[in-house]
Amino acid sequence: MKKIDLKNELKHLYLASAKQVEQVEMPAFRYLMIDGVGDPNTSTEYAQAVEALFSVAYTAKFMVKKSTLEIDYAVMPLEGLWWADDMSAFESNNKANWKWTMMIMQPGFVTDEAVMAAISEVRTKKKLPAIDKLRLEKFSEGL
């Protein structure tokens, strides 16, 4: 069985130095994504989003591992995009007004069909409140 650790292979993007600032160009990747609003420390919506993301990401991982591909890979870390209608919400630390997109990158060998099958399986088995908010989308943050 082939083992892949994309976080290690892409360490120039995922393992930032604590000693120096570096500018990177993020290529386009496919992500499982969920949008929401609110304080990530207290928001039920945020907790439900993260639960749905990881449930589907791990289900897809095990589907690929058991498939004819026989690839065992590390699930990528949770990533987030953060903004507010009024950006002073960040200065004042008013997290209730933060908007976010939480996401987990999906390797290229994980097909759209595998992700959709994983979503369907999680929807049936776990009945998570945020499962219908999940989407698979290509995203490029750029420079």
Side-chain angles (χ1 to χ4, degrees), residues 20-143:
Q20 69 183 43
V21 174
E22 230 178 285
Q23 193 172 39
V24 297
E25 176 108 21
M26 287 297 292
F29 289 122
R30 288 171 39 251
Y31 292 89
L32 282 170
M33 305 171 105
I34 295 183
D35 302 318
V37 178
D39 184 337
N41 299 312
T42 60
S43 167
T44 301
E45 183 180 9
Y46 182 84
Q48 290 171 346
V50 172
E51 180 182 30
L53 284 165
F54 275 110
S55 293
V56 171
Y58 274 98
T59 299
K61 168 199 168 64
F62 289 112
M63 286 179 158
V64 169
K65 187 176 177 180
K66 293 177 185 176
S67 77
T68 56
L69 289 175
E70 293 185 337
I71 298 173
D72 186 10
Y73 64 96
V75 169
M76 295 300 286
L78 183 68
E79 299 179 57
L81 305 172
W82 304 87
W83 71 98
D85 291 334
D86 177 359
M87 292 302 280
S88 69
F90 286 96
E91 292 171 17
S92 64
N93 207 27
N94 184 357
K95 294 178 182 179
N97 291 330
W98 289 8
K99 294 184 178 186
W100 41 262
T101 298
M102 300 315 296
M103 50 201 211
I104 299 176
M105 192 266 272
Q106 296 302 291
F109 54 80
V110 179
T111 64
D112 292 0
E113 293 76 22
V115 172
M116 294 307 131
I119 290 171
S120 180
E121 184 174 313
V122 170
R123 180 182 286 119
T124 301
K125 286 185 177 179
K126 293 191 174 189
K127 306 205 183 319
L128 301 177
I131 195 74
D132 291 327
K133 296 178 183 178
L134 252 176
R135 69 184 186 281
L136 181 65
E137 186 176 300
K138 194 173 209 176
F139 178 72
S140 175
E141 194 165 7
L143 194 60

